[in-house]
Amino acid sequence: MKDIIEWLKQNANLKIIDEPLDVELEIPHIAYIEVKKPNSRPLLFTKPINRAKKIEYTMPVLMNIFANKQVTQKIFNKAPDAIATQIEELLKMKPPANFMGKVTLASKLFNLKNIFPKKLKHRGEAQEVIIPKAKVDLDTLPILKTWSEDGGAFITMGQVYTSSLDGTMQNLGMYRLQQHSKTTLGMHWQIHKDASSFFDQYREAGKMMPVSVAIGGDPLYIWCGQAPLPYGIFELLLYGLIRNRNAQLVKSITNEIYIPRDVDIVIEGFVDPNKMKIEGPFGDHTGYYTLKEPYPVMEVETITMRKNPIFQATVVGKPPLEDKYMGWATERIFLPLLKTTAPELIDYYMPENGVFHNLILAKMKTRYKGHAKQFMHAFWGVGQMSFVKHAIFVGEDAPLLEDHHAITRYILNRLRVENILITQGIIDALDHSSNETLVGGKLGIDATHEPLNEKDPHYVGLDDMILLAKMRVLDGSIVALKQYMTDTFNPITVIAVEKKSSQKELIAKLQPLSHSIKILVIVDAHTNLVENDYMLVWRVANNIDASRDIYFHPFIAIDATNKSEVDGFYREWPKDTLCDKDTLDRLQAKGLIDINEAFINRFGLL
Ligand SMILES: Cc1cc2nc3c(=O)[nH]c(=O)nc-3n(C[C@H](O)[C@H](O)[C@H](O)COP(=O)(O)O)c2cc1C
């Protein structure tokens, strides 16, 4: 991994783009589109510019490093499942029964010495160039502005290194940073995250908090930064375990934080616990803008870098994106750790269009009544898994969780109202659907039971056109309809509406059709296509708060429309992240992207 570009050329079909391109919208839009394609490639932009600020940057921008599963696996140098097995073996380590057992155990323990990061006494390659405070200018870095309505430019692949007030704990977290000025950055560590917890310690003590933000180096650092390790465990231990080689750290120049010697750029500075500034909006990985909110500010003391640094960045927005592949590896590697809390868990899957924390499917062996419900509560109570909004548990006889069609059939053929649990808990700071921030509805479905054995004798299936026509007689706001999974016991009817009032009223009006509807899903017509099941899952999982938006009479109904005062919702409802049409047209005309109407609709680009 010494020369990342060479490595990406040989292992990942790196695409090099020499055309001068703007860090505002152009570069991010190309990366956004590339990673949605099958066999997408990492991209190196050699001539980033900023037309508005009249800047030609001296360093290239590298994007989509985790472009697909194959590259991701190569970055790890082994299959994520193999790492999971390694972790499982460590967790289950037993005293050896015989001589060979002792030898195996000794070699495993010997290898463990490689997990601990090593603190070096000398400087690192990341410190070849040192820019003193007086000359710090964040405008020299090709920081991207991804979306038209972003509040500015954001560092999106920053490895944020912090330590606890007493210095006993170190943390690496990946948090975005908004460029506020030439010398200050907005520090977007959300309240549930480890660095935010350290920040509280500094605030209580009234002390400035040192922070070093690294960019680049071994891409595994980036993955480790987003890995949801428990509080107090330094993510670079996981780096050592995976690489079987200690992370080599050097001290920052102006503070006591240690950072990897071989990253490309390090931004060192302090966060003043008394200073907050509005951060955002930012088009986030939910596919929505996160709204403006006050976040801490980092004052930059110095920037250090390699002689020829590379600036790494990612784009977040509507799925699928690079975080799909990072998330896939995380999901695999964390299975054994999850099993320590839920031993009968066989597997789990967080589909990318559920943006990870909005939907989880889990396969388990049930041993007693209420077992699946017990696991729901366990999930909702453990670390970052507690952000999960919708959890569906299936039995050990269920098909592959990634087989979307088969698993949906399995669930719908077992869905009974009495096995649905709706409760409340903490939710991701990015969630926009609940009436207040940070807490909201949770939906758990226990589909571990036997299938339903007979169809509802009162159910009368109707064609889409006929059902739509009958519905429109009852309520003219319904403009489109598509039924899914009509060969199961619980077909899903998706309707698109031109919403003017609470959907409670609409659901009540549809009572006369209750014999032809089992599960009704309502979405807004202006932002959804009822034929696009991929984006519908994304929309519904994002847009609902289960404790407010799920109804059980006269049928199961899910109101996935945008909410407003008519729903008793008084927060601001965020916009979708949409591409800039002029930018897309310009890039298409230059042959830098190649997309058509179907692609635009499939991924909700405009
Ligand atoms: C592309 C990407 C961007 C992210 N941006 C943020 C962010 O701005 N703020 C945040 O709190 N978490 C963000 N995360 C999630 C954190 O990296 C993740 O929750 C991580 O486990 C936090 O580490 P910690 O538990 O040590 O705080 C991001 C993850 C990815 C993959």
Side-chain angles (χ1 to χ4, degrees), residues 252-402:
S252 298
I253 306 288
T254 57
N255 65 42
E256 296 300 312
I257 306 279
Y258 278 74
I259 35 97
R261 64 183 288 175
D262 58 341
V263 290
D264 286 77
I265 301 162
V266 185
I267 305 170
E268 300 180 9
F270 291 88
V271 169
D272 179 346
N274 297 313
K275 214 187 238 175
M276 302 286 261
K277 193 173 160 124
I278 291 296
E279 199 267 2
F282 176 72
D284 222 310
H285 87 114
T286 52
Y288 288 81
Y289 281 92
T290 41
L291 303 171
K292 288 181 186 174
E293 265 188 282
Y295 267 93
V297 179
M298 176 179 176
E299 298 273 351
V300 181
E301 290 290 309
T302 184
I303 298 179
T304 73
M305 55 181 78
R306 282 171 173 271
K307 279 195 187 120
N308 294 304
I310 298 162
F311 189 85
Q312 293 183 9
T314 189
V315 175
V316 291
K318 293 181 187 175
L321 291 174
E322 202 177 356
D323 60 359
K324 161 180 173 171
Y325 303 106
M326 285 192 257
W328 163 70
T330 309
E331 179 197 282
R332 297 297 83 211
I333 291 169
F334 277 72
L335 177 60
L337 292 169
L338 204 52
K339 279 187 183 173
T340 60
T341 326
E344 291 83 3
L345 183 70
I346 297 167
D347 200 2
Y348 74 116
Y349 172 52
M350 303 174 96
E352 84 244 12
N353 49 345
V355 300
F356 307 108
H357 45 78
N358 282 346
L359 179 62
I360 185 170
L361 302 172
K363 191 185 276 194
M364 65 180 292
K365 178 179 169 64
T366 45
R367 290 185 40 241
Y368 38 80
K369 212 172 146 187
H371 204 162
K373 289 202 173 84
Q374 181 192 33
F375 277 17
M376 289 171 201
H377 291 293
F379 277 35
W380 290 328
V382 55
Q384 293 188 39
M385 196 52 99
S386 51
F387 302 151
V388 164
K389 286 209 295 183
H390 312 115
I392 305 179
F393 283 81
V394 296
E396 55 185 325
D397 61 339
L400 262 185
L401 298 176
E402 293 82 356

Side-chain angles (χ1 to χ4, degrees), residues 156-157 171-177 188-196 224-231 233 235 279 282 284-285 295 314-316 323 326 384 387 430:
T156 50
M157 266 196 166
N171 193 68
L172 161 59
M174 179 155 150
Y175 318 118
R176 71 170 184 248
L177 299 114
H188 188 257
W189 49 49
Q190 296 150 7
I191 191 159
H192 302 120
K193 305 300 169 73
D194 293 350
S196 173
C224 287
Q226 59 80 63
L229 277 177
Y231 175 71
I233 301 183
E235 285 70 11
E279 199 267 2
F282 176 72
D284 222 310
H285 87 114
Y295 267 93
T314 189
V315 175
V316 291
D323 60 359
M326 285 192 257
Q384 293 188 39
F387 302 151
L430 301 180

Side-chain angles (χ1 to χ4, degrees), residues 6 36 69 129 147 204 342 356 383 413 431 443 484 573 585 602:
E6 231 6 83
K36 292 182 183 307
K69 277 193 182 174
V129 178
W147 303 106
E204 278 161 27
F356 307 108
N413 281 334
D431 189 87
L443 167 74
Y484 289 91
W573 194 269
D585 290 346
R602 165 105 180 88

Side-chain angles (χ1 to χ4, degrees), residues 81-94:
D81 280 328
I83 300 163
T85 308
Q86 201 183 340
I87 293 174
E88 191 152 31
E89 281 172 6
L90 287 175
L91 292 169
K92 289 184 178 162
M93 209 140 50
K94 288 196 190 84

Side-chain angles (χ1 to χ4, degrees), residues 17 28 33 97 100 119 127 221 289 323-325 364 367 373 379 381 417 435 446 453 470 491 505 548 574 590 592-593:
I17 301 176
I33 284 161
M100 272 323 286
K119 290 184 175 174
Q127 296 164 323
Y221 297 136
Y289 281 92
D323 60 359
K324 161 180 173 171
Y325 303 106
M364 65 180 292
R367 290 185 40 241
K373 289 202 173 84
F379 277 35
V417 168
N435 285 358
D446 176 0
N453 47 20
K470 284 180 181 271
E505 296 161 24
R548 184 195 57 217
K590 284 187 179 175
L592 290 162
I593 55 169

